[in-house]
Amino acid sequence: MTTHSTHWHAWLDTMPPKPDELHVVGDVEVANPGITAYLTVRVPQGSNLAILLLDLHLFQRPGQWIQQITCTQARFNRVLPPGSPRYTAIEIFQNGERIAFIDNIPHVS
């Protein structure tokens, strides 16, 4: 089952001082407020190094939680070392299925 998600966006922070930093954020619908969403780098990456592949994971924190559909934010931050590829797109997957595609990655400088 794929989770509903919206408002995915990414930006590259190139403001001094170095290094540059990539940010990816999206809203994820979850079954209760005790679920956290996070993004990790997908292994293996694809053959196009300009497209970053990420996996969405959901984690249920322990405890008693009211069963109510709510929205949580998934976030990914990565410091880009000098000479690293400049990403032109980001694909986000959950359980092997692509759930989001970001092809507009503005630079904030």
Side-chain angles (χ1 to χ4, degrees):
M1 181 177 154
T2 302
T3 303
H4 179 67
S5 63
T6 59
H7 302 114
W8 288 103
H9 58 282
W11 68 98
L12 181 62
D13 182 351
T14 58
M15 294 179 67
K18 292 288 185 186
D20 297 341
E21 190 169 5
L22 175 70
H23 303 277
V24 181
V25 178
D27 294 329
V28 180
E29 196 173 88
V30 293
N32 66 67
I35 297 175
T36 56
Y38 63 97
L39 296 165
T40 60
V41 174
R42 186 175 177 87
V43 178
Q45 284 289 296
S47 59
N48 186 347
L49 298 179
I51 300 175
L52 177 64
L53 306 179
L54 300 175
D55 279 322
L56 172 66
H57 302 278
L58 301 178
F59 174 74
Q60 175 66 61
R61 294 188 312 240
Q64 302 266 342
W65 298 94
I66 185 170
Q67 296 304 300
Q68 173 182 336
I69 300 295
T70 189
C71 189
T72 189
Q73 192 175 74
R75 178 176 288 273
F76 177 83
N77 300 311
R78 172 182 255 187
V79 173
L80 301 176
S84 65
R86 292 292 176 196
Y87 298 114
T88 59
I90 298 170
E91 291 186 67
I92 300 166
F93 294 84
Q94 184 185 26
N95 300 325
E97 182 179 331
R98 186 171 88 168
I99 61 169
F101 180 75
I102 305 168
D103 62 353
N104 179 19
I105 305 173
H107 291 218
V108 177
S109 54

